[in-house]
């Protein structure tokens, strides 16, 4: 399994970024996908998640109405559109997939992409 995030960078408050996570090594269309973030000195937190077919999504309260998670199963890619960015959105953003094999849970993470919101 490989997850490769991209699209992070430095953006001013109020700006937008679109993160991408390219997945390989598993049947992408069969698994829910998630975005997490971790700010310095803080625990990693769930930002958004999307079901395997992209029908249902869930967001952290702190990003509702500003972030949108989506996926393209033909491209094995999940996206995070981030609008109206705030300094408190500054963090390393990670893509995650989890599942079960023979009732044993597994979870994979990407390497992360840095998002910095600052003027």
């Amino acid at each position: 399994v490989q997850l490769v995030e991209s699209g992070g960078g430095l953006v001013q408050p109020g700006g937008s970024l679109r993160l991408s996570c390219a997945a390989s090594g598993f049947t992408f269309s069969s698994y829910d996908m998630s975005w997490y973030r971790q700010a310095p000195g803080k625990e990693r937190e769930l930002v958004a998640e999307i079901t395997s077919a992209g029908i249902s999504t869930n967001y952290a309260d702190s990003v509702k109405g500003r972030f949108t998670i989506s996926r393209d199963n033909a491209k094995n890619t999940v996206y995070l559109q981030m609008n109206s960015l705030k300094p408190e959105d500054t963090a390393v953003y990670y893509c995650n997939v989890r599942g079960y094999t023979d009732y044993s849970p597994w979870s994979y993470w990407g390497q992360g992409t840095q998002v910095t919101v600052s003027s």
Side-chain angles (χ1 to χ4, degrees), residues 71-114:
R71 65 191 296 160
D72 185 337
N73 284 348
K75 295 182 178 179
N76 287 2
T77 302
V78 61
Y79 305 97
L80 186 67
Q81 178 67 44
M82 306 186 295
N83 298 329
S84 302
L85 282 161
K86 304 175 181 180
E88 51 263 43
D89 295 317
T90 295
V92 178
Y93 284 71
Y94 298 91
C95 182
N96 175 260
V97 61
R98 61 189 59 190
Y100 289 86
T101 299
D102 295 332
Y103 303 103
S104 295
W106 50 263
S107 178
Y108 290 92
W109 298 90
Q111 82 289 350
T113 185
Q114 176 71 48

